Amino acid sequence: MTLLVDGRSLWLAETNCYVVAPERGGPCVIVDAPDDLEGIADLLARNDLYPEALLVTHAHIDHAGGAGGVVDKWSISAYLHPDDEWLAADPAAQLRSLFGGTLPGWLESGFEPPASWSALDHGQQLRLAGLDIAIIHTPGHTPGHCCFHLDQDGILFSGDQLFAGSIGRTDLPGGNYGDLMQSMRERVLPLAGETRVLPGHGPATTIAQELRTNPFLADPNLTDR
Ligand SMILES: [Zn+2]
Ligand SMILES: [Zn+2]
């Protein structure tokens, strides 16, 4: 099976929104929902896909700000780890901390979270749009951050846990560097080296590539390899 994966960066923070599907012309899963419904609709249309579910890596507004709109527009479920629901519940507070107190007028409205979330759990195996997706809870960037692993296809949606050449910041509310590194050591770096890593920002990479070159992973205690 050749998997269809496509993505584009959307919204102010240039957050990657991905669609993943067994093939063109059928159901897909959306990974992360920046607040740009037109951009997401375009990503679906250019691959001739319709969404069956939305998976949200974590509740930062650049990844979850469009979730309510996606749920309304396509009548699908949105999945989030419960440890991030407090963040999702107050998008305006996140914006104020990003923009320093007063919001630009055009940003003040919108960002209604979905009425309810479907809960993600570590070790859970979801079967969505004909895909088997393993949920890996990776706290650190936020308490409820999750990565999504398509084992058979060797793909990891890494959100803001791991980037090409960098790692997620841990200075935002709920962030914890020790937790992020523990998640990295125990749950991310042990994946197969050739695993294709599709991050929440920036270009794709692989686990092996990051182990070789990512300066934030240089600590020999991080891996037994
Ligand atoms: Zn984030
Ligand atoms: Zn982000």
Side-chain angles (χ1 to χ4, degrees), residues 192-224:
E194 64 271 23
T195 303
R196 209 168 131 75
V197 176
L198 299 169
H201 304 271
T205 182
T206 65
I207 297 287
Q209 168 79 9
E210 293 316 299
L211 280 170
R212 267 200 314 275
T213 61
N214 189 323
F216 297 92
L217 305 182
D219 180 350
N221 294 324
L222 268 178
T223 166
D224 304 329

PDB file of all heavy atoms in Angstrom, residues 192-224:
ATOM      1  N   ALA A 192      12.019   3.059  14.705  1.00  0.00           N
ATOM      2  CA  ALA A 192      12.973   2.671  13.660  1.00  0.00           C
ATOM      3  C   ALA A 192      13.631   3.904  13.043  1.00  0.00           C
ATOM      4  O   ALA A 192      12.973   4.916  12.808  1.00  0.00           O
ATOM      5  CB  ALA A 192      12.257   1.870  12.588  1.00  0.00           C
ATOM      6  N   GLY A 193      14.954   3.794  12.786  1.00  0.00           N
ATOM      7  CA  GLY A 193      15.711   4.931  12.268  1.00  0.00           C
ATOM      8  C   GLY A 193      15.147   5.508  10.990  1.00  0.00           C
ATOM      9  O   GLY A 193      15.184   6.710  10.759  1.00  0.00           O
ATOM     10  N   GLU A 194      14.603   4.629  10.138  1.00  0.00           N
ATOM     11  CA  GLU A 194      14.122   5.117   8.839  1.00  0.00           C
ATOM     12  C   GLU A 194      12.728   5.740   8.928  1.00  0.00           C
ATOM     13  O   GLU A 194      12.181   6.189   7.928  1.00  0.00           O
ATOM     14  CB  GLU A 194      14.144   3.996   7.796  1.00  0.00           C
ATOM     15  CG  GLU A 194      13.208   2.822   8.075  1.00  0.00           C
ATOM     16  CD  GLU A 194      13.876   1.719   8.922  1.00  0.00           C
ATOM     17  OE1 GLU A 194      14.864   2.016   9.645  1.00  0.00           O
ATOM     18  OE2 GLU A 194      13.387   0.576   8.884  1.00  0.00           O
ATOM     19  N   THR A 195      12.151   5.753  10.125  1.00  0.00           N
ATOM     20  CA  THR A 195      10.818   6.357  10.287  1.00  0.00           C
ATOM     21  C   THR A 195      10.823   7.788   9.775  1.00  0.00           C
ATOM     22  O   THR A 195      11.659   8.601  10.154  1.00  0.00           O
ATOM     23  CB  THR A 195      10.409   6.369  11.779  1.00  0.00           C
ATOM     24  OG1 THR A 195      10.446   5.038  12.285  1.00  0.00           O
ATOM     25  CG2 THR A 195       9.017   6.962  11.962  1.00  0.00           C
ATOM     26  N   ARG A 196       9.885   8.101   8.884  1.00  0.00           N
ATOM     27  CA  ARG A 196       9.761   9.445   8.337  1.00  0.00           C
ATOM     28  C   ARG A 196       9.019  10.301   9.347  1.00  0.00           C
ATOM     29  O   ARG A 196       7.900   9.974   9.742  1.00  0.00           O
ATOM     30  CB  ARG A 196       8.960   9.360   7.039  1.00  0.00           C
ATOM     31  CG  ARG A 196       9.267  10.393   6.035  1.00  0.00           C
ATOM     32  CD  ARG A 196       8.623   9.989   4.702  1.00  0.00           C
ATOM     33  NE  ARG A 196       7.874  11.118   4.137  1.00  0.00           N
ATOM     34  CZ  ARG A 196       8.462  12.162   3.564  1.00  0.00           C
ATOM     35  NH1 ARG A 196       9.757  12.236   3.467  1.00  0.00           N
ATOM     36  NH2 ARG A 196       7.714  13.139   3.070  1.00  0.00           N
ATOM     37  N   VAL A 197       9.660  11.377   9.783  1.00  0.00           N
ATOM     38  CA  VAL A 197       9.101  12.255  10.797  1.00  0.00           C
ATOM     39  C   VAL A 197       8.507  13.488  10.118  1.00  0.00           C
ATOM     40  O   VAL A 197       9.214  14.216   9.407  1.00  0.00           O
ATOM     41  CB  VAL A 197      10.192  12.676  11.806  1.00  0.00           C
ATOM     42  CG1 VAL A 197       9.642  13.670  12.814  1.00  0.00           C
ATOM     43  CG2 VAL A 197      10.753  11.445  12.523  1.00  0.00           C
ATOM     44  N   LEU A 198       7.205  13.696  10.314  1.00  0.00           N
ATOM     45  CA  LEU A 198       6.525  14.855   9.734  1.00  0.00           C
ATOM     46  C   LEU A 198       6.138  15.792  10.875  1.00  0.00           C
ATOM     47  O   LEU A 198       5.182  15.540  11.601  1.00  0.00           O
ATOM     48  CB  LEU A 198       5.286  14.395   8.945  1.00  0.00           C
ATOM     49  CG  LEU A 198       5.604  13.453   7.782  1.00  0.00           C
ATOM     50  CD1 LEU A 198       4.339  12.817   7.216  1.00  0.00           C
ATOM     51  CD2 LEU A 198       6.342  14.197   6.681  1.00  0.00           C
ATOM     52  N   PRO A 199       6.892  16.863  11.074  1.00  0.00           N
ATOM     53  CA  PRO A 199       6.703  17.718  12.243  1.00  0.00           C
ATOM     54  C   PRO A 199       5.609  18.775  12.055  1.00  0.00           C
ATOM     55  O   PRO A 199       5.129  19.007  10.946  1.00  0.00           O
ATOM     56  CB  PRO A 199       8.066  18.386  12.423  1.00  0.00           C
ATOM     57  CG  PRO A 199       8.856  18.109  11.192  1.00  0.00           C
ATOM     58  CD  PRO A 199       8.032  17.289  10.257  1.00  0.00           C
ATOM     59  N   GLY A 200       5.288  19.418  13.170  1.00  0.00           N
ATOM     60  CA  GLY A 200       4.275  20.471  13.153  1.00  0.00           C
ATOM     61  C   GLY A 200       4.735  21.765  12.500  1.00  0.00           C
ATOM     62  O   GLY A 200       3.913  22.621  12.175  1.00  0.00           O
ATOM     63  N   HIS A 201       6.039  21.914  12.341  1.00  0.00           N
ATOM     64  CA  HIS A 201       6.590  23.082  11.648  1.00  0.00           C
ATOM     65  C   HIS A 201       7.818  22.639  10.874  1.00  0.00           C
ATOM     66  O   HIS A 201       8.586  21.809  11.359  1.00  0.00           O
ATOM     67  CB  HIS A 201       7.005  24.187  12.637  1.00  0.00           C
ATOM     68  CG  HIS A 201       5.902  24.626  13.544  1.00  0.00           C
ATOM     69  ND1 HIS A 201       5.022  25.648  13.220  1.00  0.00           N
ATOM     70  CD2 HIS A 201       5.515  24.170  14.754  1.00  0.00           C
ATOM     71  CE1 HIS A 201       4.149  25.800  14.207  1.00  0.00           C
ATOM     72  NE2 HIS A 201       4.419  24.903  15.152  1.00  0.00           N
ATOM     73  N   GLY A 202       8.011  23.183   9.696  1.00  0.00           N
ATOM     74  CA  GLY A 202       9.236  22.934   8.947  1.00  0.00           C
ATOM     75  C   GLY A 202       9.223  21.616   8.201  1.00  0.00           C
ATOM     76  O   GLY A 202       8.207  20.912   8.156  1.00  0.00           O
ATOM     77  N   PRO A 203      10.379  21.269   7.617  1.00  0.00           N
ATOM     78  CA  PRO A 203      10.445  20.125   6.710  1.00  0.00           C
ATOM     79  C   PRO A 203      10.448  18.767   7.414  1.00  0.00           C
ATOM     80  O   PRO A 203      10.699  18.678   8.614  1.00  0.00           O
ATOM     81  CB  PRO A 203      11.781  20.342   5.990  1.00  0.00           C
ATOM     82  CG  PRO A 203      12.607  21.120   6.953  1.00  0.00           C
ATOM     83  CD  PRO A 203      11.648  21.998   7.712  1.00  0.00           C
ATOM     84  N   ALA A 204      10.201  17.733   6.633  1.00  0.00           N
ATOM     85  CA  ALA A 204      10.233  16.356   7.125  1.00  0.00           C
ATOM     86  C   ALA A 204      11.668  15.923   7.383  1.00  0.00           C
ATOM     87  O   ALA A 204      12.621  16.511   6.863  1.00  0.00           O
ATOM     88  CB  ALA A 204       9.585  15.432   6.098  1.00  0.00           C
ATOM     89  N   THR A 205      11.802  14.886   8.206  1.00  0.00           N
ATOM     90  CA  THR A 205      13.129  14.341   8.495  1.00  0.00           C
ATOM     91  C   THR A 205      12.957  12.858   8.818  1.00  0.00           C
ATOM     92  O   THR A 205      11.900  12.290   8.521  1.00  0.00           O
ATOM     93  CB  THR A 205      13.794  15.127   9.656  1.00  0.00           C
ATOM     94  OG1 THR A 205      15.102  14.603   9.887  1.00  0.00           O
ATOM     95  CG2 THR A 205      12.984  15.075  10.937  1.00  0.00           C
ATOM     96  N   THR A 206      13.985  12.229   9.380  1.00  0.00           N
ATOM     97  CA  THR A 206      13.859  10.847   9.861  1.00  0.00           C
ATOM     98  C   THR A 206      14.455  10.783  11.269  1.00  0.00           C
ATOM     99  O   THR A 206      15.222  11.657  11.672  1.00  0.00           O
ATOM    100  CB  THR A 206      14.622   9.841   8.971  1.00  0.00           C
ATOM    101  OG1 THR A 206      16.026  10.120   9.057  1.00  0.00           O
ATOM    102  CG2 THR A 206      14.168   9.894   7.518  1.00  0.00           C
ATOM    103  N   ILE A 207      14.126   9.712  11.987  1.00  0.00           N
ATOM    104  CA  ILE A 207      14.700   9.514  13.322  1.00  0.00           C
ATOM    105  C   ILE A 207      16.234   9.418  13.219  1.00  0.00           C
ATOM    106  O   ILE A 207      16.964  10.062  13.979  1.00  0.00           O
ATOM    107  CB  ILE A 207      14.133   8.233  13.970  1.00  0.00           C
ATOM    108  CG1 ILE A 207      12.612   8.348  14.196  1.00  0.00           C
ATOM    109  CG2 ILE A 207      14.871   7.903  15.269  1.00  0.00           C
ATOM    110  CD1 ILE A 207      12.182   9.270  15.313  1.00  0.00           C
ATOM    111  N   ALA A 208      16.731   8.626  12.238  1.00  0.00           N
ATOM    112  CA  ALA A 208      18.180   8.449  12.097  1.00  0.00           C
ATOM    113  C   ALA A 208      18.879   9.776  11.813  1.00  0.00           C
ATOM    114  O   ALA A 208      19.932  10.081  12.397  1.00  0.00           O
ATOM    115  CB  ALA A 208      18.477   7.448  10.984  1.00  0.00           C
ATOM    116  N   GLN A 209      18.292  10.552  10.927  1.00  0.00           N
ATOM    117  CA  GLN A 209      18.858  11.862  10.582  1.00  0.00           C
ATOM    118  C   GLN A 209      18.965  12.759  11.821  1.00  0.00           C
ATOM    119  O   GLN A 209      19.981  13.422  12.056  1.00  0.00           O
ATOM    120  CB  GLN A 209      17.957  12.519   9.513  1.00  0.00           C
ATOM    121  CG  GLN A 209      18.213  13.990   9.242  1.00  0.00           C
ATOM    122  CD  GLN A 209      19.412  14.215   8.340  1.00  0.00           C
ATOM    123  OE1 GLN A 209      19.966  13.262   7.778  1.00  0.00           O
ATOM    124  NE2 GLN A 209      19.851  15.457   8.225  1.00  0.00           N
ATOM    125  N   GLU A 210      17.917  12.767  12.641  1.00  0.00           N
ATOM    126  CA  GLU A 210      17.933  13.623  13.843  1.00  0.00           C
ATOM    127  C   GLU A 210      18.937  13.102  14.866  1.00  0.00           C
ATOM    128  O   GLU A 210      19.612  13.885  15.522  1.00  0.00           O
ATOM    129  CB  GLU A 210      16.527  13.732  14.442  1.00  0.00           C
ATOM    130  CG  GLU A 210      15.560  14.496  13.543  1.00  0.00           C
ATOM    131  CD  GLU A 210      16.177  15.757  12.956  1.00  0.00           C
ATOM    132  OE1 GLU A 210      16.572  16.641  13.741  1.00  0.00           O
ATOM    133  OE2 GLU A 210      16.300  15.853  11.729  1.00  0.00           O
ATOM    134  N   LEU A 211      19.040  11.783  14.998  1.00  0.00           N
ATOM    135  CA  LEU A 211      20.027  11.237  15.938  1.00  0.00           C
ATOM    136  C   LEU A 211      21.444  11.630  15.529  1.00  0.00           C
ATOM    137  O   LEU A 211      22.303  11.861  16.375  1.00  0.00           O
ATOM    138  CB  LEU A 211      19.905   9.707  15.998  1.00  0.00           C
ATOM    139  CG  LEU A 211      18.775   9.187  16.881  1.00  0.00           C
ATOM    140  CD1 LEU A 211      18.588   7.680  16.680  1.00  0.00           C
ATOM    141  CD2 LEU A 211      19.053   9.478  18.365  1.00  0.00           C
ATOM    142  N   ARG A 212      21.669  11.735  14.228  1.00  0.00           N
ATOM    143  CA  ARG A 212      23.005  12.106  13.737  1.00  0.00           C
ATOM    144  C   ARG A 212      23.284  13.590  13.871  1.00  0.00           C
ATOM    145  O   ARG A 212      24.401  13.991  14.153  1.00  0.00           O
ATOM    146  CB  ARG A 212      23.126  11.723  12.246  1.00  0.00           C
ATOM    147  CG  ARG A 212      23.712  10.370  11.965  1.00  0.00           C
ATOM    148  CD  ARG A 212      24.240  10.255  10.520  1.00  0.00           C
ATOM    149  NE  ARG A 212      23.320  10.773   9.519  1.00  0.00           N
ATOM    150  CZ  ARG A 212      22.326  10.070   8.976  1.00  0.00           C
ATOM    151  NH1 ARG A 212      22.121   8.830   9.350  1.00  0.00           N
ATOM    152  NH2 ARG A 212      21.541  10.610   8.063  1.00  0.00           N
ATOM    153  N   THR A 213      22.279  14.431  13.634  1.00  0.00           N
ATOM    154  CA  THR A 213      22.575  15.850  13.392  1.00  0.00           C
ATOM    155  C   THR A 213      21.871  16.833  14.324  1.00  0.00           C
ATOM    156  O   THR A 213      22.245  17.997  14.362  1.00  0.00           O
ATOM    157  CB  THR A 213      22.177  16.232  11.945  1.00  0.00           C
ATOM    158  OG1 THR A 213      20.768  16.016  11.784  1.00  0.00           O
ATOM    159  CG2 THR A 213      22.927  15.389  10.923  1.00  0.00           C
ATOM    160  N   ASN A 214      20.845  16.411  15.047  1.00  0.00           N
ATOM    161  CA  ASN A 214      20.079  17.375  15.857  1.00  0.00           C
ATOM    162  C   ASN A 214      20.858  17.741  17.124  1.00  0.00           C
ATOM    163  O   ASN A 214      21.095  16.886  17.967  1.00  0.00           O
ATOM    164  CB  ASN A 214      18.716  16.757  16.209  1.00  0.00           C
ATOM    165  CG  ASN A 214      17.774  17.752  16.849  1.00  0.00           C
ATOM    166  OD1 ASN A 214      18.197  18.603  17.627  1.00  0.00           O
ATOM    167  ND2 ASN A 214      16.497  17.656  16.516  1.00  0.00           N
ATOM    168  N   PRO A 215      21.270  18.993  17.261  1.00  0.00           N
ATOM    169  CA  PRO A 215      22.124  19.358  18.412  1.00  0.00           C
ATOM    170  C   PRO A 215      21.415  19.174  19.755  1.00  0.00           C
ATOM    171  O   PRO A 215      22.074  18.967  20.778  1.00  0.00           O
ATOM    172  CB  PRO A 215      22.432  20.848  18.163  1.00  0.00           C
ATOM    173  CG  PRO A 215      21.387  21.326  17.216  1.00  0.00           C
ATOM    174  CD  PRO A 215      20.986  20.137  16.391  1.00  0.00           C
ATOM    175  N   PHE A 216      20.096  19.204  19.747  1.00  0.00           N
ATOM    176  CA  PHE A 216      19.351  19.044  21.000  1.00  0.00           C
ATOM    177  C   PHE A 216      19.304  17.587  21.455  1.00  0.00           C
ATOM    178  O   PHE A 216      18.876  17.281  22.563  1.00  0.00           O
ATOM    179  CB  PHE A 216      17.929  19.587  20.853  1.00  0.00           C
ATOM    180  CG  PHE A 216      17.905  21.061  20.580  1.00  0.00           C
ATOM    181  CD1 PHE A 216      17.890  21.538  19.273  1.00  0.00           C
ATOM    182  CD2 PHE A 216      17.920  21.978  21.621  1.00  0.00           C
ATOM    183  CE1 PHE A 216      17.893  22.897  19.012  1.00  0.00           C
ATOM    184  CE2 PHE A 216      17.929  23.329  21.372  1.00  0.00           C
ATOM    185  CZ  PHE A 216      17.913  23.796  20.064  1.00  0.00           C
ATOM    186  N   LEU A 217      19.728  16.681  20.575  1.00  0.00           N
ATOM    187  CA  LEU A 217      19.723  15.257  20.916  1.00  0.00           C
ATOM    188  C   LEU A 217      21.142  14.738  21.128  1.00  0.00           C
ATOM    189  O   LEU A 217      21.374  13.538  21.129  1.00  0.00           O
ATOM    190  CB  LEU A 217      19.043  14.444  19.807  1.00  0.00           C
ATOM    191  CG  LEU A 217      17.630  14.881  19.419  1.00  0.00           C
ATOM    192  CD1 LEU A 217      17.066  13.941  18.350  1.00  0.00           C
ATOM    193  CD2 LEU A 217      16.702  14.925  20.615  1.00  0.00           C
ATOM    194  N   ALA A 218      22.085  15.652  21.308  1.00  0.00           N
ATOM    195  CA  ALA A 218      23.502  15.248  21.393  1.00  0.00           C
ATOM    196  C   ALA A 218      23.825  14.547  22.719  1.00  0.00           C
ATOM    197  O   ALA A 218      24.835  13.865  22.820  1.00  0.00           O
ATOM    198  CB  ALA A 218      24.392  16.451  21.207  1.00  0.00           C
ATOM    199  N   ASP A 219      22.978  14.703  23.732  1.00  0.00           N
ATOM    200  CA  ASP A 219      23.211  14.082  25.034  1.00  0.00           C
ATOM    201  C   ASP A 219      23.255  12.557  24.902  1.00  0.00           C
ATOM    202  O   ASP A 219      22.259  11.943  24.507  1.00  0.00           O
ATOM    203  CB  ASP A 219      22.080  14.497  25.981  1.00  0.00           C
ATOM    204  CG  ASP A 219      22.239  13.910  27.368  1.00  0.00           C
ATOM    205  OD1 ASP A 219      23.107  13.030  27.544  1.00  0.00           O
ATOM    206  OD2 ASP A 219      21.488  14.331  28.254  1.00  0.00           O
ATOM    207  N   PRO A 220      24.397  11.924  25.201  1.00  0.00           N
ATOM    208  CA  PRO A 220      24.506  10.473  25.005  1.00  0.00           C
ATOM    209  C   PRO A 220      23.539   9.686  25.906  1.00  0.00           C
ATOM    210  O   PRO A 220      23.209   8.545  25.603  1.00  0.00           O
ATOM    211  CB  PRO A 220      25.958  10.164  25.372  1.00  0.00           C
ATOM    212  CG  PRO A 220      26.453  11.339  26.136  1.00  0.00           C
ATOM    213  CD  PRO A 220      25.645  12.531  25.707  1.00  0.00           C
ATOM    214  N   ASN A 221      23.075  10.304  26.976  1.00  0.00           N
ATOM    215  CA  ASN A 221      22.117   9.608  27.852  1.00  0.00           C
ATOM    216  C   ASN A 221      20.757   9.428  27.202  1.00  0.00           C
ATOM    217  O   ASN A 221      19.906   8.714  27.728  1.00  0.00           O
ATOM    218  CB  ASN A 221      21.943  10.386  29.157  1.00  0.00           C
ATOM    219  CG  ASN A 221      23.221  10.397  29.977  1.00  0.00           C
ATOM    220  OD1 ASN A 221      23.952   9.407  29.980  1.00  0.00           O
ATOM    221  ND2 ASN A 221      23.488  11.507  30.633  1.00  0.00           N
ATOM    222  N   LEU A 222      20.547  10.119  26.077  1.00  0.00           N
ATOM    223  CA  LEU A 222      19.228  10.059  25.447  1.00  0.00           C
ATOM    224  C   LEU A 222      18.979   8.741  24.746  1.00  0.00           C
ATOM    225  O   LEU A 222      17.862   8.373  24.490  1.00  0.00           O
ATOM    226  CB  LEU A 222      19.113  11.173  24.402  1.00  0.00           C
ATOM    227  CG  LEU A 222      18.513  12.482  24.896  1.00  0.00           C
ATOM    228  CD1 LEU A 222      18.513  13.486  23.764  1.00  0.00           C
ATOM    229  CD2 LEU A 222      17.101  12.274  25.420  1.00  0.00           C
ATOM    230  N   THR A 223      20.029   8.062  24.389  1.00  0.00           N
ATOM    231  CA  THR A 223      19.831   6.863  23.586  1.00  0.00           C
ATOM    232  C   THR A 223      20.900   5.831  23.894  1.00  0.00           C
ATOM    233  O   THR A 223      22.025   6.175  24.247  1.00  0.00           O
ATOM    234  CB  THR A 223      19.857   7.208  22.073  1.00  0.00           C
ATOM    235  OG1 THR A 223      19.981   5.998  21.353  1.00  0.00           O
ATOM    236  CG2 THR A 223      21.012   8.127  21.706  1.00  0.00           C
ATOM    237  N   ASP A 224      20.543   4.569  23.781  1.00  0.00           N
ATOM    238  CA  ASP A 224      21.497   3.484  24.011  1.00  0.00           C
ATOM    239  C   ASP A 224      22.258   3.128  22.741  1.00  0.00           C
ATOM    240  O   ASP A 224      23.112   2.274  22.768  1.00  0.00           O
ATOM    241  CB  ASP A 224      20.772   2.225  24.505  1.00  0.00           C
ATOM    242  CG  ASP A 224      19.962   2.532  25.736  1.00  0.00           C
ATOM    243  OD1 ASP A 224      20.377   3.414  26.508  1.00  0.00           O
ATOM    244  OD2 ASP A 224      18.902   1.893  25.936  1.00  0.00           O
TER     245      ASP A 224
END
